[in-house]
Amino acid sequence: MSASTKTMGAPLKAAGHVLRQALLALPIPLLILYLWHLGVAQKWELPMGIKMAYLSSPGEVVKRIYDLAFGGIFDDTFSHTLILHLWASTQRALSGFLIATVIAVPLGIIMGRVALANDMLDPLLNLLRPIPVTAWVPLALLIIGFGDKATIFLVFIACFFPILINTIAGVKQVPERLIEASSMLGTPKFQQLYKVVFPAALQSIISGLRLALGQAWVILVVAEQVGISIGLGSLITQARDMSKTDLVIATMLIIGLVGFLADRVLLLLMKVVTRNRPTLT
C-alpha cells in the first residue's frame, strides 16, 4: 500500500468512526421524542404522578427554542434573548471553573506529593467536601450579596473538590520509578512537579476537570435562580413563574447542549495541549 493511500485512509477511517457514533447515538433520543409526543397527545399519566398533559409537545419546544434564538414566532419578552442569557451564564460558569482549576490543580499536586501538606489539609477538606453546594447558597447571599460574585463563588465551590480529589488521586498513582529516574537525570524536586508529576497525572486531572465542568452548569442554574435577572437559570425561574413549560424545557435542553459542547471543547483543548498523545488524554 502506497504512502498516499495510507494518508487518505486515516481521515476516511476517522470519518467513518464519527458517522458510526452519530448513528448509534440517534435511535434512543428519537424513541424518547416519539414517546414524549405520544404521551402529550394521549395525556398519559406516569408513575410518581407525572401528568404528560401538562407538558409541551416536542414541536412546541422546538418553536420556543427558535423564537429564543431568532424571534419572529411569539414576539414576547423572551424572544431573541438567547445570546444575552447564554453569554451571561457562560461567563459565570467559566469564571468559577477557571478559578477552581487554578487553585485546585497546584494544591492537588502538592497534597499528592508532600505528605505533610496532605496531613495538614486533608481533614479540613474532607470536612467541607460533603457539604452540598446548595447549602452554601444562603451563606453566599449573606456574605457576598445577590449578583454575579455569589454565583461565581458557588460555581467555584462546586468545581473545586472534583478537580482537587482527581488531581490528588492522579499524582499518587505516578510511579515512583519515574520520579527516581528524573532525579537521576538531575531534575530538581520542584521542577519534577510540573515536568514529571503533572504530565503523568494528566489523565486523572482531565477527568476531574470534566466532572467539574458538568457540575458548574448544574449549580449555575441553582445559583442564578436567586437575585439574577439575566442568565439561563433565571430564565427557567421566570418561565416557571409564568407556567411556560415549553420555555422551561427549551432552556433545559439548551443547558444540556451547552454542557455537552463545553465538554467536547475541553477534550479538544486537552488533545491540542498534549498533541493528542493517547497516554496523556
Side-chain angles (χ1 to χ4, degrees):
M1 188 180 292
S2 67
S4 60
T5 307
K6 284 183 179 178
T7 306
M8 291 177 62
L12 285 175
K13 189 177 178 182
H17 179 67
V18 171
L19 180 62
R20 181 177 178 276
Q21 282 190 317
L23 289 175
L24 284 174
L26 275 177
I28 293 178
L30 288 177
L31 178 63
I32 291 173
L33 279 176
Y34 175 70
L35 292 175
W36 174 8
H37 171 76
L38 207 61
V40 172
Q42 298 184 359
K43 301 180 180 178
W44 288 354
E45 286 199 25
L46 304 179
M48 294 188 287
I50 299 172
K51 298 179 178 63
M52 297 287 286
Y54 293 159
L55 278 180
S56 301
S57 68
E60 290 171 325
V61 173
V62 170
K63 280 184 186 174
R64 177 56 75 177
I65 291 174
Y66 182 91
D67 187 69
L68 263 177
F70 307 108
I73 297 180
F74 300 106
D75 289 329
D76 54 17
T77 54
F78 304 107
S79 299
H80 203 191
T81 59
L82 178 59
I83 292 297
L84 183 69
H85 291 290
L86 188 58
W87 177 241
S89 291
T90 302
Q91 281 183 305
R92 293 175 192 128
L94 286 183
S95 298
F97 173 75
L98 290 175
I99 294 170
T101 302
V102 168
I103 296 175
V105 171
L107 183 61
I109 292 174
I110 292 170
M111 288 180 68
R113 287 302 306 170
V114 182
L116 178 62
N118 187 67
D119 292 343
M120 290 176 68
L121 294 172
D122 188 65
L124 174 64
L125 293 171
N126 276 302
L127 182 70
L128 296 174
R129 187 164 60 91
I131 300 174
V133 181
T134 48
W136 286 89
V137 174
L139 184 61
L141 295 178
L142 285 171
I143 62 176
I144 301 175
F146 295 101
D148 289 348
K149 290 181 182 176
T151 306
I152 292 170
F153 172 75
L154 292 170
V155 173
F156 161 75
I157 295 289
C159 295
F160 179 76
F161 289 106
I163 299 173
L164 180 70
I165 299 301
N166 277 273
T167 303
I168 293 172
V171 169
K172 287 187 174 178
Q173 288 173 3
V174 175
E176 280 302 320
R177 288 182 180 178
L178 205 58
I179 309 292
E180 291 169 5
S182 68
S183 296
M184 290 173 66
L185 292 170
T187 308
K189 283 191 176 297
F190 178 72
Q191 291 186 14
Q192 285 176 355
L193 294 179
Y194 62 88
K195 285 186 174 179
V196 179
V197 175
F198 175 73
L202 197 53
Q203 279 189 327
S204 183
I205 294 173
I206 290 172
S207 296
L209 293 175
R210 293 182 69 187
L211 283 172
L213 196 55
Q215 285 293 317
W217 285 100
V218 170
I219 200 62
L220 183 78
V221 174
V222 177
E224 284 184 344
Q225 289 181 351
V226 182
I228 296 283
S229 58
I230 303 294
L232 295 173
S234 167
L235 196 56
I236 287 183
T237 305
Q238 293 174 49
R240 180 203 61 194
D241 293 343
M242 299 172 74
S243 301
K244 289 181 177 292
T245 54
D246 59 339
L247 185 56
V248 171
I249 299 170
T251 311
M252 289 168 62
L253 291 176
I254 290 166
I255 291 170
L257 180 62
V258 172
F260 173 78
L261 292 176
D263 183 67
R264 297 295 102 177
V265 170
L266 177 65
L267 280 179
L268 185 63
L269 282 175
M270 289 298 118
K271 284 185 177 179
V272 171
V273 170
T274 61
R275 299 177 186 175
N276 205 22
R277 283 183 287 180
T279 53
L280 296 183
T281 58

